Amino acid sequence: MSEKINIGWIGLGNMGTPMVKNLVKAGFNVTVYNRSADKSEALSKEIKIGVAYSAAELVPASDVIITMLSDDEAVKQVYEGENNIFSASIAKELTMIDMSTVSPQTTKYLAGLCAEKGISYLDAPVAGSVKPAEEAQLVIMVGGDESVYENVKPVFDALGKMSVYLGESGKANVAKLSVNLMLGVVVQGLAEAVIFARKNGLEAAQLLPLINASAVGGGLTKMKTENILNNDFKAAFALRLLTKDIRLATENGMDTPVGKTVYTTLQAAKEKGHGEEDMIAVLKYLSGE
Ligand code: NAP
């Protein structure tokens, strides 16, 4: 496949929207479908994209259809049922790519159904949040058939700084859940360090530059420093989504002490009403806010 790949895109959330912008910037023809049509219509006024009003409508005009949706249920929903992918007649080569963070079970289930219909399927979740998505600096993990990956690699090149082929369907989901298990641990560790410092009279503004310059500092601590200092908890990565990822890890056998504690914290923070805020709202929750 060449740069002329026609792309259908499903999901204009925090991640999907900047990713679509990068595909258009790279010269791909993109048609989008979003459950809430107002988002696709607003984006079509900003950049050159087509707008579809169902997932099925994307099929005839697309070589590749990418999903970037909240969770397993949302991804499954765009395949089955009226006006969805499988209700369209598929007359040509079609590759489905799911870039959402879902379980390996969902990938294997959908890849199996697609195979029966002659459709190729890749799981291709991403590491990196909204800013890396905007800057086409995502890290993309890929599972499925390697030759299909090679064919659509130009699409990944437009979205990320690297894409890595990991093996059979579901392998990339396992990689992504591993990364996010560690993400949950780091987020809670950062929150706890700030809480401890404050309790002992040291401000976050004094502590965070030290963390960022030290061996324990890194992309995540730097990314969340301004949020903590400005008390800004607007979601780049919603706490409810990280909770979902640690749940998926738990359902796939995560049984280690720190991960289990992190899951308990996230569930409680979500129940306390922090689900729509950024994951760093763990700090608010553990501070008793
Ligand atoms: P988001 O902002 O919550 O957007 C979710 C998208 O899914 C929206 O387009 C929403 O449509 C759609 N959706 C939800 N339920 C649906 C359903 N039942 N049927 C059809 N569409 C549905 O999520 P996001 O932050 O973009 O994340 C998307 C995926 O990437 C998630 O799996 C997340 O875990 C993963 N991820 C996120 C980040 C991050 O930093 N945000 C980083 C890496 C990976 P509406 O507009 O109609 O609500």
Side-chain angles (χ1 to χ4, degrees):
M1 272 188 214
S2 71
E3 310 280 303
K4 298 282 175 223
I5 298 171
N6 293 304
I7 299 175
W9 185 279
I10 307 180
L12 292 177
N14 289 332
M15 295 295 285
T17 304
M19 291 168 82
V20 164
K21 287 182 182 174
N22 282 329
L23 290 176
V24 171
K25 210 181 286 171
F28 292 104
N29 297 321
V30 186
T31 303
V32 301
Y33 163 65
N34 194 59
R35 179 180 60 176
S36 314
D38 55 327
K39 286 193 197 163
S40 351
E41 284 163 2
L43 190 62
S44 74
K45 294 196 175 99
E46 217 184 297
I47 56 170
K48 195 170 168 286
I49 49 168
V51 175
Y53 290 89
S54 72
E57 205 184 313
L58 293 175
V59 172
S62 305
D63 303 304
V64 167
I65 297 179
I66 301 177
T67 45
M68 191 53 167
L69 299 166
S70 308
D71 54 23
D72 297 60
E73 286 318 304
V75 175
K76 282 188 205 154
Q77 266 173 26
V78 300
Y79 283 83
E80 293 168 313
E82 216 182 323
N83 294 326
N84 286 328
I85 303 292
F86 291 150
S87 71
S89 67
I90 294 146
K92 57 173 185 161
E93 212 175 293
L94 176 64
T95 299
M96 297 298 304
I97 305 177
D98 180 35
M99 303 193 79
S100 328
T101 306
V102 301
S103 65
Q105 290 80 5
T106 289
T107 291
K108 285 178 190 151
Y109 172 70
L110 291 174
L113 292 179
C114 282
E116 284 169 18
K117 296 172 195 300
I119 304 171
S120 304
Y121 191 100
L122 296 176
D123 46 317
V126 305
S129 191
V130 172
K131 197 156 180 281
E134 287 168 351
E135 294 170 353
Q137 291 294 302
L138 294 168
V139 173
I140 301 167
M141 300 153 246
V142 187
D145 187 325
E146 191 167 12
S147 64
V148 176
Y149 161 65
E150 293 297 343
N151 277 342
V152 299
K153 196 170 171 295
V155 176
F156 296 138
D157 292 342
L159 296 171
K161 63 178 169 189
M162 64 186 281
S163 62
V164 185
Y165 176 74
L166 292 167
E168 68 196 25
S169 284
K171 272 276 164 62
N173 300 125
V174 172
K176 174 60 188 171
L177 295 182
S178 309
V179 170
N180 274 22
L181 173 58
M182 184 163 163
L183 175 66
V185 171
V186 175
V187 165
Q188 182 158 342
L190 176 62
E192 291 191 13
V194 170
I195 290 166
F196 173 76
R198 283 176 175 162
K199 197 175 259 179
N200 288 280
L202 191 70
E203 292 303 322
Q206 296 172 288
L207 176 70
L208 290 168
L210 302 175
I211 288 180
N212 290 336
S214 76
V216 294
L220 192 273
T221 65
K222 288 177 188 161
M223 207 182 279
K224 295 303 166 196
T225 291
E226 287 303 309
N227 297 79
I228 295 172
L229 296 184
N230 298 328
N231 227 16
D232 171 9
F233 296 98
K234 183 177 176 296
F237 184 36
L239 187 144
R240 70 180 152 80
L241 292 176
L242 182 58
T243 312
K244 174 257 304 178
D245 297 347
I246 310 297
R247 171 177 60 77
L248 294 176
T250 305
E251 289 168 2
N252 279 280
M254 188 278 288
D255 190 24
T256 37
V258 185
K260 287 204 285 191
T261 302
V262 166
Y263 187 39
T264 304
T265 304
L266 286 167
Q267 283 174 298
K270 191 172 156 224
E271 266 165 41
K272 192 94 196 287
H274 297 294
E276 294 302 326
E277 293 181 313
D278 191 76
M279 61 186 168
I280 196 61
V282 161
L283 172 61
K284 268 171 105 175
Y285 168 70
L286 291 175
S287 304
E289 287 177 46

